[in-house]
Amino acid sequence: MLKSMTGFGDARYEKDDLSFVLEVKTVNNRYLKTSIKLPEVLAFAESEIEKLIKEQVSRGSVYFNIYMKDSGTGGVAEINQTAAFYYLDQLKQITHGAQMRDDEIDLVRLLFLPGVTQTRLYSDIDNERFMQIIAEHAKIALERLNVMRDHEGLALLEDLRKNCQAIADNLGLLEKLTPEVVVNYQAKLESRVNDLLANARLNIDQDALLREVAIFADKCDINEEISRLRAHLDQFDKICTSEEQVGRRLDFLTQEMLREANTIASKANNAQISQFVVEIKVAIDRLREQVQNVE
């Protein structure tokens, strides 16, 4: 199943005075890159969360955030009273020296001084409980993420097939012109030779002419490139319906398609064929752009 690399999922837990909000977002990246932001009290859960992410996501930048609120006794942070009183004593000495009143000290700002507020230390039992909640709801958030990525993948698949069909249509049109290339070259060559030899009253050496035409026909033969490009289109469609992660394989295949299209353009030596090749290359560029969104 083709998946988009962009998506969003979340999960929430609320019970008694404890609440968790888990959010996961993914965007394009050639490789898997994770960014996990947790409250300090949940730092122990980072490795387990990364493991869960890797089980569900193989490519893209993953941003995973957890917000925690504990409204019970103590909350998730507490005041270090020893540090607070130490700062307060120092500030009082300053205010007295500056002939200021003690009530001019801003106690709220005091909380932002280093060491005044500190993370609450939970028990091992609390941490085990938190880990169970996080693991359960991280799976829910990742499942919702994948639902969205699957939905986006269907839209991507439709667009990819549309561009593949455009390539196939233009390929069929230019293929019809390939026999005319050699015929037109032979006619032009005969006409040019006749013009050059008209005054000399010489006849054309048909064998030499045919050899020249044969050499040209071999140089401008694009049937092999057309066959390979068609094979790439068939393989592209099969990969899109594969159950594996397909983004990198599709990226490589579009590069091969572009290579065949460039070879056709350089060998064909025909203005009409070149026009069809331009349309093919435009469709391939669209494929390459969209493939960057595929996991």
Side-chain angles (χ1 to χ4, degrees):
M1 182 71 178
L2 190 146
K3 289 184 179 180
S4 169
M5 274 195 286
T6 59
F8 176 82
D10 65 349
R12 297 173 183 269
Y13 171 89
E14 291 185 12
K15 188 174 182 180
D16 300 328
D17 295 319
L18 185 66
S19 67
F20 288 92
V21 177
L22 293 81
E23 296 179 346
V24 56
K25 179 179 72 172
T26 57
V27 295
N28 298 355
N29 195 308
R30 189 174 181 182
Y31 305 102
L32 177 61
K33 181 181 178 182
T34 59
S35 174
I36 302 172
K37 293 185 178 179
L38 309 173
E40 190 175 346
V41 294
L42 302 178
F44 62 88
E46 183 171 350
S47 60
E48 182 63 23
I49 292 171
E50 186 165 7
K51 179 182 175 182
L52 293 172
I53 290 173
K54 289 181 177 179
E55 290 175 356
Q56 297 293 328
V57 182
S58 64
R59 195 162 81 120
S61 291
V62 183
Y63 300 94
F64 193 103
N65 297 330
I66 295 182
Y67 306 95
M68 176 183 176
K69 182 178 180 182
D70 185 354
S71 303
T73 304
V76 297
E78 56 190 10
I79 296 176
N80 185 332
Q81 295 188 19
T82 301
F85 281 123
Y86 173 78
Y87 283 124
L88 188 59
D89 288 340
Q90 297 294 314
L91 289 171
K92 284 182 178 179
Q93 292 180 29
I94 294 173
T95 56
H96 292 163
Q99 297 182 347
M100 297 171 60
R101 299 191 312 272
D102 290 347
D103 59 7
E104 294 184 53
I105 298 174
D106 190 340
L107 294 179
V108 174
R109 292 190 177 185
L110 184 66
L111 297 176
F112 292 95
L113 294 175
V116 175
T117 57
Q118 59 189 25
T119 303
R120 175 184 171 187
L121 297 177
Y122 287 91
S123 68
D124 291 340
I125 295 176
D126 286 330
N127 288 339
E128 288 180 8
R129 178 189 171 208
F130 295 161
M131 190 67 254
Q132 291 177 351
I133 294 171
I134 291 170
E136 178 183 349
H137 288 77
K139 290 177 181 177
I140 294 172
L142 288 167
E143 286 173 0
R144 291 175 177 172
L145 167 75
N146 278 328
V147 168
M148 184 174 181
R149 298 199 313 148
D150 287 341
H151 180 73
E152 293 290 331
L154 290 175
L156 277 175
L157 179 59
E158 182 179 352
D159 189 73
L160 290 173
R161 284 179 168 167
K162 178 181 177 182
N163 284 295
C164 284
Q165 187 59 51
I167 295 171
D169 291 344
N170 283 284
L171 201 58
L173 293 172
L174 72 82
E175 188 176 25
K176 294 177 181 179
L177 297 174
T178 53
E180 298 179 11
V181 174
V182 176
V183 173
N184 291 340
Y185 177 78
Q186 181 174 354
K188 289 180 181 179
L189 187 61
E190 288 179 348
S191 176
R192 186 175 181 184
V193 171
N194 284 330
D195 289 342
L196 292 172
L197 301 179
N199 295 330
R201 297 181 181 179
L202 297 174
N203 295 323
I204 300 174
D205 185 344
Q206 291 296 326
D207 290 339
L209 181 62
L210 291 175
R211 281 197 301 271
E212 178 65 25
V213 172
I215 292 171
F216 175 80
D218 184 62
K219 288 182 178 180
C220 70
D221 183 16
I222 57 175
N223 289 313
E224 185 177 346
E225 286 75 18
I226 291 173
S227 297
R228 281 202 294 264
L229 188 46
R230 280 212 173 94
H232 291 333
L233 288 172
D234 291 339
Q235 188 178 5
F236 192 94
D237 188 67
K238 289 178 182 178
I239 292 175
C240 284
T241 56
S242 171
E243 294 298 326
E244 302 174 359
Q245 283 74 34
V246 300
R248 292 181 186 176
R249 294 165 64 190
L250 293 179
D251 189 26
F252 172 77
L253 203 54
T254 54
Q255 294 178 38
E256 294 301 304
M257 289 183 184
L258 187 60
R259 183 179 302 176
E260 300 299 341
N262 285 331
T263 304
I264 291 172
S266 63
K267 290 177 66 175
N269 196 27
N270 180 276
Q272 285 183 289
I273 289 179
S274 295
Q275 290 177 0
F276 290 125
V277 172
V278 168
E279 296 300 321
I280 288 173
K281 291 173 69 174
V282 168
I284 292 174
D285 281 340
R286 288 173 182 162
L287 283 181
R288 294 183 67 183
E289 183 178 345
Q290 289 290 48
V291 163
Q292 304 308 312
N293 300 319
V294 178
E295 184 182 44

